[in-house]
Amino acid sequence: MTGSIRAQNSTFKKWLFNQKLKPFRVLSDNERSHTDKRISWRLGVNDDFFVNMAASLERSKWSRKDFIKSILIVKEWWDDEWNLIRQNIERINELVEMTLERLDDLDIIVARLIDEHGYEAFCNSEVFSWVSNVRKESSLVGAEFLRTRIAEVFSQKKNDELLEVEKKLTSGILCSYVSRANKSLSVLWYWLKHPKSSNFSPPAALVETITAIISTRRMPVLFSVLNLMADLVVRHPRWLNISSYIMLASGLNMLLEELRYDNRPNGTGIPDEVVPELRLGCLRLAKALQHIDSNEIKTVARMWIGQAISDPLPELRYFN
């Protein structure tokens, strides 16, 4: 990294840590204190802070103090609005979702702090007690801080929490509520990509769940699960057993017919508009599976890879 880029990253961080989270409630220009008046809430509040935070983390390594500063920014918002949110969540469903989104971002920050600097650094920090309290109180809106729990386990080398996390993720992935299912899949991505994930027993129930989603072609999370499975096969092939590969081969075989561009069978439950992206997901998984020592898997993988050569979509024809 050149001195110029390093200076730009430092400047960007200084600017970032001077930002504040936008309040959910509508405030007049001169209102900065809570009143007994009925509160108006704005929906879809922009959370640019977390977008910029992710960009900064990609560009430079954060110190322990950097993470603490970002958590304190979230704390300022929480201290200002949490009591009011708690009083209004029963009548405004969107407020629950907005709060959950923000707490999910907090979960990402805390987990990253533990991953980068260790559990002890977090435990001895000025924000530990506050985060612990938030984790307790925010259960009211369904926040679970699963990444933080995983990071704590991996940092302390104690796996007693992982089974409970696995249960919650399995339940979330199978949930018919798409937002919750996608959040659970995001946490599973974090788990399988974690550099210490291979040091612990594989999450067998989770692996079986996402394998079953592919073999049964369960919508609407199928595309996300195809991509996740492709990454899992490359990173943790030993997490899958013979039964897993048989189920994957069965699902990919069925999808060869169900994802045809012409004369698709009726009753698949797969909308026409998602066929191209699902074909791309199947191809990505087939590429990951082509070197697995299973004739059944190799056969269906070759079929998907062979089809892609003449696919009308360039994204599939030129997929590497």
Side-chain angles (χ1 to χ4, degrees), residues 100-119:
L100 272 175
E101 286 291 334
R102 213 162 253 194
L103 293 175
D104 194 54
D105 286 317
L106 175 61
D107 182 34
I108 292 172
I109 301 173
V110 176
R112 188 71 177 265
L113 165 60
I114 296 170
D115 289 340
E116 296 280 342
H117 299 284
Y119 178 75

Side-chain angles (χ1 to χ4, degrees), residues 97 119 140 272:
E97 282 301 309
Y119 178 75
L140 183 66
D272 290 341

